[in-house]
Amino acid sequence: MKIKCYYIVFFILFSFQGIHAQENEELKVTTEEVAVKKKKKKKRRDRKKNKIKPYKPLAPAKAAFYSAVLPGLGQVYNGKGLYWRLPAVYGAIGAGIYFYIDNNNQYNEFRDIFKRRLAGFRDDRFINQETGVELVTNDQLIDLQDRFRRDQELALLLTVAAYLLNIVDANVTAHLQQYNISEDLSFKPKINFNEFDATPNYGVSLNFKF
């Protein structure tokens, strides 16, 4: 009877050991499958990351042309990540146009007042109508005209500069987007030291990665 009990206990222990070994084997296989899948995903990501886009020689010219036709359109053509430049482009050009118009209006106002004074009229807002005292003299009117004309020309110059900078930015960005920065073409300087006396060894090596 005791011998039978020993056989039963041995059979139960052997069964548990077999089940445990099978579970370990299945867990090992599952772990290996997960590791293989992760490696495949990483390879796909690296392949996608290092994929070189085909060179488009007309892309910079197109980007510059679009920005010349409509400021900011070249930046949109270059890619979604450049939309943030649109407010900067329109802000610079818009500010230049605003100051040009404002200085032009001021210049025309003081010029008209000066012309009316030369014609004998003394009804402008810079003359006290009760006392007839000139708050702004004719010489001051001339100086103000010169000042607003200079500011007007400066605003026009800045507007044109912002417009041209918008075109150059679109062109240069299109060029840089096609610039190959793959590690296979990278230049990495390295200094080798002599193992015996720790002196540097000078030389040139050329490495290719395929």
Side-chain angles (χ1 to χ4, degrees), residues 3-21:
I3 296 175
K4 289 183 178 181
C5 290
Y6 289 146
Y7 279 131
I8 293 172
V9 172
F10 177 77
F11 178 74
I12 292 172
L13 292 175
F14 182 77
S15 300
F16 277 125
Q17 185 178 1
I19 294 171
H20 182 66

Side-chain angles (χ1 to χ4, degrees), residues 17 19 21 61-62 65 71 78 100 126 143 189 193 195:
Q17 185 178 1
I19 294 171
K62 282 185 177 180
F65 174 75
N78 285 331
Y100 174 83
F126 297 110
D143 292 339
F193 290 93
E195 296 179 357

